Amino acid sequence: TFYYFVRLCPDKILLQCVLQSRTLSGADAINALRPFYFAVHPDFFGQHPKEREVNENSLKRLNGYLENLQKPGFRSFKPTQLTFYVREREPNSSNVQESFSASGFRAVSFTLHTRDLLSTVLDILNSCSLSTEHVQSLNVSSQPHKEAKSTVNRPIKWDKTYYSFTGFKDPEEELEQAQRVETTLISWLDDNEASAVKKLKKSLPLRKELERLKIELSHELQLSDIRWQRSWGIAHRCSQLHSLGRLVQQRPEILKNVKGRTVVFTDRSGMSAAGHIMLGTMDVHHHWTKIFERLPNYYKLQKRLLLLEDRISQLLGGMQVIYIEELQPLLTLEEYYETLNSFYNKLRDSRLPFHPRSLRGLQMILESDRYAPSLHEFGHFMIPTVCDPAALQWFIFAKAQEARENLKRKEEMMITEKELIDTSTERFSLDRLYKEPSVSSAQMIDCCKRLLGESLPYLQGMHLCISHFYSVLQDGDLCIPWNWK
């Protein structure tokens, strides 16, 4: 696919290959889009899990669109709306590898409706305010070649009167109309309900199997929960649970220390900053066995980590140090301990004059990719590990009251969100209603309130995910943007 091929694409591939063809090939499109991939690639958003997930999902849909453009005879094109977080360029940077700031990015939304690769590439680059000079020059260079072959396989272009007389649809007029009409929730459900129902019915046996495996393993190992970091399909999840089940049968003695813990299937093995057991999906049983054997040592380190959080809290007037999985990158216990230890040593040496317990009830998270402190809408302080202690002190003093108000508002918002999810699930007879981590509580509340004002019989028995885009997942889940029209 485009997403994975671009990571392997060598720097010295030249765009001049376009001169040999009438239109851009798939490889040419990848090269032409290299500035775009560099600006939105999920690997550069490791410290921003929400933005990373949005870009991952949008890239999948973009790659599907680009691949369809190359299919012979493919004609069924529907406008595709995409949202990307684009990394901002530093204004005075000349080195392309360093031309993006460490954490600056902006959200860009655009709709694709073109029927050829060249126009699509130009649309993408223009929408993201990226240079198109290299593509435009290629287009001009290839123009003589295009003209020389323009008589070969050229489709017939009928006069408008032909369509009026015969009653056939004018393809150009249909395209223009599709471009003018924005995708609406009702029209999208009309077009995609049948496909979603078919996929959902096909996935039902696997869903039951997944639930059975999860309950059995949780009971046998006395686990608190079993989770997945990414949106893997049902079949993939069943396979992972079967793999864990086989390990339980082969080495039951090594699993005696997991009682009360949460197991998370993710990209790497270890223990997370939140104290969850991480099992890397690409690792073999040998690696998982090592993790289970090391659990006693992980638990000792976790106790030291909690003690470190308490010491930081004492130095900051009783403010609580927290780790929020949805908002922070997935760190291992060792990585998080080192971050806390470095911050603690800096605070201890600075001897900030916070009155004991003066900030009790407030919360903070540590961030390694920022340089200035900020206050989140949910009330917790976002403190850079490299923050100047004096600047930190004054910022906390100035924002303490606002932080308490935000924390109170957060509690009210979480209650409202849960009530609206329950009401919407019952109203539309949904089997499940959930949201992606990148969708905020405020966005979810707005979405549900507007949904409740609609009549949507299509949703009965469905799994509905509130996201940033329209999509039907492989197991039949319907994804709709929170700001649907």
Side-chain angles (χ1 to χ4, degrees), residues 41-102:
H41 202 287
D43 285 358
F44 294 110
F45 288 81
Q47 301 296 313
H48 303 280
K50 287 186 177 182
E51 290 75 14
R52 177 190 176 99
E53 184 176 2
V54 170
N55 282 11
E56 280 182 343
N57 289 323
S58 293
L59 276 173
K60 290 176 186 175
R61 300 178 67 232
L62 171 60
N63 292 335
Y65 187 94
L66 294 175
E67 287 169 359
N68 282 336
L69 284 175
Q70 300 170 74
K71 292 179 181 178
F74 191 82
R75 292 289 179 269
S76 179
F77 283 94
K78 295 178 182 178
T80 300
Q81 186 172 3
L82 300 172
T83 296
F84 285 100
Y85 285 95
V86 181
R87 297 191 297 146
E88 294 280 22
R89 288 183 179 275
E90 295 288 358
N92 299 320
S93 177
S94 58
N95 185 339
V96 70
Q97 296 295 329
E98 300 175 353
S99 61
F100 292 91
S101 60

Side-chain angles (χ1 to χ4, degrees), residues 43-274:
D43 285 358
F44 294 110
F45 288 81
Q47 301 296 313
H48 303 280
K50 287 186 177 182
E51 290 75 14
R52 177 190 176 99
E53 184 176 2
V54 170
N55 282 11
E56 280 182 343
N57 289 323
S58 293
L59 276 173
K60 290 176 186 175
R61 300 178 67 232
L62 171 60
N63 292 335
Y65 187 94
L66 294 175
E67 287 169 359
N68 282 336
L69 284 175
Q70 300 170 74
K71 292 179 181 178
F74 191 82
R75 292 289 179 269
S76 179
F77 283 94
K78 295 178 182 178
T80 300
Q81 186 172 3
L82 300 172
T83 296
F84 285 100
Y85 285 95
V86 181
R87 297 191 297 146
E88 294 280 22
R89 288 183 179 275
E90 295 288 358
N92 299 320
S93 177
S94 58
N95 185 339
V96 70
Q97 296 295 329
E98 300 175 353
S99 61
F100 292 91
S101 60
S103 59
F105 46 78
R106 55 192 167 86
V108 174
S109 296
F110 54 89
T111 301
L112 293 178
H113 44 63
T114 47
R115 290 174 179 257
D116 64 273
L117 280 175
L118 182 58
S119 300
T120 303
V121 167
L122 290 172
D123 274 3
I124 293 170
L125 294 174
N126 284 322
S127 298
C128 296
S129 301
L130 297 171
S131 174
T132 60
E133 289 182 7
H134 58 298
V135 185
Q136 291 171 340
S137 62
L138 292 169
N139 189 24
V140 171
S141 300
S142 62
Q143 192 67 31
H145 190 74
K146 289 175 65 177
E147 290 176 357
K149 297 187 67 176
S150 61
T151 58
V152 181
N153 297 326
R154 181 177 63 83
I156 298 174
K157 185 176 178 65
W158 296 100
D159 188 86
K160 297 292 183 182
T161 54
Y162 167 79
Y163 300 105
S164 300
F165 182 79
T166 61
F168 293 142
K169 293 182 178 180
D170 183 349
E172 290 188 358
E173 189 175 307
E174 277 192 309
L175 178 60
E176 290 173 3
Q177 185 177 359
Q179 294 171 4
R180 290 193 300 268
V181 178
E182 188 175 14
T183 302
T184 65
L185 177 61
I186 302 298
S187 66
W188 186 82
L189 288 174
D190 279 337
D191 291 339
N192 293 276
E193 180 200 11
S195 170
V197 169
K198 183 178 179 181
K199 291 181 178 179
L200 180 61
K201 285 183 177 179
K202 186 178 179 181
S203 74
L204 288 179
L206 273 177
R207 289 181 186 271
K208 290 180 180 179
E209 173 71 358
L210 178 67
E211 190 62 23
R212 183 188 67 80
L213 289 169
K214 186 176 177 181
I215 291 173
E216 287 183 0
L217 279 171
S218 296
H219 177 73
E220 185 173 0
L221 300 176
Q222 296 183 291
L223 295 172
S224 173
D225 194 11
I226 298 177
R227 301 180 193 168
W228 285 264
Q229 182 198 3
R230 300 196 181 281
S231 303
W232 284 300
I234 304 297
H236 195 172
R237 295 187 183 202
C238 284
S239 175
Q240 291 159 0
L241 291 185
H242 278 298
S243 189
L244 178 58
R246 286 193 296 272
L247 181 60
V248 172
Q249 298 301 320
Q250 296 166 6
R251 299 288 303 277
E253 75 281 357
I254 66 169
L255 299 164
K256 60 185 178 182
N257 294 312
V258 301
K259 182 179 179 180
R261 293 285 167 168
T262 293
V263 167
V264 181
F265 290 97
T266 181
D267 295 330
R268 53 180 174 164
S269 298
M271 179 168 277
S272 73

